[in-house]
């Protein structure tokens, strides 16, 4: 089965390509490297020992994408490509709506033309907005609090309409919670551009000495230790969820949203302490004001994915932190000048 993976050179996409190749799927990656590095392709090949196809294209370029659909017998599409930084989306909403919505529209047009009906979409827990109750269930009314989240919400709604127009479609909306960790080889991992916005890459960059100290955004939430709580999920568990979604889509038509989370919440201080345990030394931090737009607590009810996809996250927070740290310490500058490893194709 041939899977077109958009954004396959990115953080979650690269880990998913590894799991797809390991499971015997044929993989075609399309990426414009707007937020990734070409070296990741060699690393995927090194880890899996399997060949795959790569097109250096922009999904917005319908002509090039049509060529790919003409050239390849695509059976299913996993659509990771998109812009994902919340703050940037507030500053530049048009580019977020343009890239995230238009890329999906181009893919859906081509899927219609080439009669491809299996679609797995990268959505986000951000579509739940700020809810009164946790754990978060798929049936909750959705709300977005920023242009990035709204782009995901709009795409979910658009996909609902597409399914009504063509009930033969099989669509999985995967709502990711907080992906962290890296492949256990340390060869691929999260490679943020500039200063990281997310907690885990920030902590690991403080630990390797690239940043001075962690700013903890608020210690006055009504949580056990006052810091924010999130459902951190190992990126490899997340990747495996995509394979389960593809399999279910192959067996059943319909459109379904699934939470991909562990169902457990960890606070910022708990995460920091786990990293201190893994690294074996202190990590400096300062308590700061709350970050605007942050919510206190977010964690999944993953029971729908457990039951319908037969998927369950199995890696704990300790192994997530160990794997994040291995990736960061082996690649202090991301894919640029990685230490100890030079991978050739
Ligand atoms: P990423 O930035 O590492 O990967 C996205 C990839 O898509 C990059 O390689 C980028 O170069 C590529 N890309 C972007 N626009 C493109 C275009 N127009 N044409 C071709 N390639 C393009 O991000 P990620 O963390 O791997 O996230 C993947 C998806 O999951 C995104 O849609 C993101 O919104 C969603 N998501 C991520 C998180 C998270 O915390 N990482 C959480 C929830 C949802
Ligand atoms: N956080 C923090 N310092 C940072 C980055 C994040 O204290 O430098 C906190 C943030 O307030 C939240 C948690 O860590 O409580 C996870 O934040 P992240 O940005 O990783 O994920 P999101 O808030 O998007 O779920």
């Amino acid at each position: 089965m041939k899977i077109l993976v958009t954004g396959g050179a990115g953080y979650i996409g690269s880990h998913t390509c590894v799991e797809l190749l390991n499971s015997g799927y044929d993989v075609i990656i399309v990426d414009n490297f707007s937020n990734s590095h070409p070296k990741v392709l060699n690393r995927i090949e090194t880890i899996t020992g399997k060949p795959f196809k790569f097109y250096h294209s922009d999904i917005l370029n319908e002509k090039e994408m049509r060529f790919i659909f003409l050239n390849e017998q695509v059976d299913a599409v996993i659509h990771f490509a998109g812009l994902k930084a919340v703050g940037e989306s507030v500053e530049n909403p048009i580019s977020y709506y343009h890239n995230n919505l238009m890329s999906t529209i181009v893919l859906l047009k081509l899927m219609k033309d080439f009669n491809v009906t299996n679609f797995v979409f990268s959505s986000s827990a951000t579509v739940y907005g700020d809810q009164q109750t946790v754990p978060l269930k798929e049936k909750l009314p959705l709300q977005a609090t920023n242009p990035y989240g709204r782009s995901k919400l709009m795409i979910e709604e658009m996909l609902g309409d597409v399914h009504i127009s063509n009930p033969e479609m099989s669509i999985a909306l995967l709502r990711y919670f907080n992906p962290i960790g890296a492949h256990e080889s340390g060869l691929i991992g999260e490679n943020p551009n500039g200063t990281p916005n997310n907690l885990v890459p920030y902590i690991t960059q403080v630990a390797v000495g690239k940043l001075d100290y962690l700013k903890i955004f608020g210690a006055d939430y009504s949580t056990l230790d006052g810091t924010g709580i999130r459902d951190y999920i190992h990126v490899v568990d997340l990747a495996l969820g995509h394979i389960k979604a593809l399999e279910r889509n192959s067996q059943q038509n319909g459109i379904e949203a699934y939470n991909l989370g562990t169902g457990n919440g960890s606070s910022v201080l708990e995460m920091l302490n786990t990293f201190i345990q893994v690294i074996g030394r202190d990590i400096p931090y300062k308590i700061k004001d709350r970050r605007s737009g942050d919510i206190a607590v977010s964690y999944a009810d993953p029971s729908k994915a457990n039951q319908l996809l037969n998927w369950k996250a199995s890696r704990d927070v300790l192994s997530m932190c160990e794997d994040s740290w291995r990736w960061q310490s082996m690649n202090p500058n991301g894919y640029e000048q990685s230490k100890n490893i030079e991978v050739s194709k």
Side-chain angles (χ1 to χ4, degrees), residues 7 9-13 30-36 57-60 80-84 99 103 122-124 148 152 176-177 179:
Y11 173 46
I12 306 169
V30 187
D31 205 297
N32 64 1
F33 296 131
S34 58
N35 197 37
S36 50
S57 290
D58 194 310
I59 319 295
L60 301 181
F80 291 106
L83 302 177
K84 63 165 184 178
N99 197 61
S103 61
S122 296
S123 189
S124 164
Y148 165 68
K152 293 291 180 192
Y176 309 154
F177 279 70

Side-chain angles (χ1 to χ4, degrees), residues 102-247:
M102 282 310 296
S103 61
T104 313
I105 290 169
V106 166
L107 288 169
L108 290 169
K109 273 169 83 173
L110 292 169
M111 287 176 69
K112 185 171 182 220
D113 290 353
F114 289 85
N115 200 23
V116 180
T117 55
N118 189 337
F119 191 66
V120 177
F121 174 62
S122 296
S123 189
S124 164
T126 193
V127 299
Y128 293 115
D130 195 359
Q131 299 281 342
Q132 296 305 309
T133 50
V134 278
L136 299 165
K137 293 178 193 293
E138 288 86 351
K139 278 197 179 129
L140 283 166
L142 304 179
Q143 39 173 288
T145 54
N146 55 68
Y148 165 68
R150 230 173 324 274
S151 74
K152 293 291 180 192
L153 199 49
M154 287 173 170
I155 295 168
E156 286 205 7
E157 287 177 349
M158 186 164 76
L159 288 168
D161 292 335
V162 167
H163 182 259
I164 291 170
S165 77
N166 179 8
E168 298 288 299
M169 293 280 291
S170 308
I171 301 173
L173 311 170
L174 302 185
R175 296 181 184 154
Y176 309 154
F177 279 70
N178 289 61
I180 62 167
H183 190 264
E184 59 178 7
S185 63
L187 289 175
I188 56 173
E190 192 171 6
N191 186 30
N193 259 337
T195 307
N197 295 309
N198 294 114
L199 178 66
V200 165
Y202 205 103
I203 292 178
T204 57
Q205 292 202 10
V206 171
V208 285
K210 291 182 79 175
L211 297 167
D212 293 338
Y213 60 89
L214 171 71
K215 297 177 194 128
I216 295 186
F217 296 140
D220 57 350
Y221 287 107
S222 43
T223 59
L224 223 56
D225 60 24
T227 64
I229 291 183
R230 296 290 183 275
D231 186 340
Y232 297 95
I233 174 166
H234 197 296
V235 66
V236 173
D237 278 330
L238 195 67
L240 292 168
H242 293 74
I243 296 183
K244 294 291 191 179
L246 276 182
E247 284 170 2

Side-chain angles (χ1 to χ4, degrees), residues 32-50:
N32 64 1
F33 296 131
S34 58
N35 197 37
S36 50
H37 197 285
K39 240 186 203 172
V40 78
L41 302 176
N42 293 359
R43 303 278 178 97
I44 294 172
E45 205 179 331
T46 302
I47 293 169
T48 61
K50 305 239 171 83

